[in-house]
Amino acid sequence: MSHTPTPWTLEVEQDKASDGSIEGYEISIPEINRLFFNPDWADPDEWEQSMANAAFIVQACNSHEALLSALTNLLFHAEKFSGLVNNAPNAIKTAQAALKLAKEIK
């Protein structure tokens, strides 16, 4: 099974009581049907951390494929010219390790 297609979005919506008053705000990523913060069950002190975490997840997921492509392309060219640049072999090994790690997360 593969992950839900990107792009993903971060949504912040008002959570209203039955009388129409605002009880708080919800943080969600609707494409994966995940709610990160709801005033009914979340600690209000965790709002900023929940927002930062959800934003990071969206940013990481939306940029993942582009980063893999860019790193793959960079490695292709770097390996051709590794003898021309000081310390290139170490940079290439670091990039290869990062690319391997990113490809393992599926």
Side-chain angles (χ1 to χ4, degrees):
M1 176 179 281
S2 62
H3 65 77
T4 302
T6 56
W8 294 358
T9 58
L10 177 65
E11 290 189 359
V12 178
E13 297 179 1
Q14 293 178 347
D15 187 33
K16 294 184 179 181
S18 57
D19 66 0
S21 64
I22 298 172
E23 292 185 330
Y25 294 89
E26 295 180 345
I27 302 170
S28 67
I29 300 176
E31 293 81 7
I32 58 171
N33 197 30
R34 293 295 177 263
L35 189 59
F36 286 85
F37 187 95
N38 182 299
D40 293 339
W41 48 260
D43 181 348
D45 293 337
E46 294 177 1
W47 166 261
E48 288 183 22
Q49 187 68 58
S50 296
M51 185 66 151
N53 289 341
F56 178 71
I57 290 166
V58 169
Q59 180 184 25
C61 291
N62 287 346
S63 63
H64 181 76
E65 292 300 323
L67 290 171
L68 286 180
S69 177
L71 190 52
T72 300
N73 190 36
L74 178 67
L75 280 171
F76 173 78
H77 293 291
E79 288 167 352
K80 288 172 117 176
F81 301 105
S82 65
L84 302 175
V85 180
N86 289 339
N87 215 15
N90 289 336
I92 290 171
K93 285 179 187 175
T94 300
Q96 288 170 331
L99 185 59
K100 181 181 178 199
L101 180 63
K103 286 183 175 180
E104 288 175 358
I105 302 171
K106 295 234 177 210

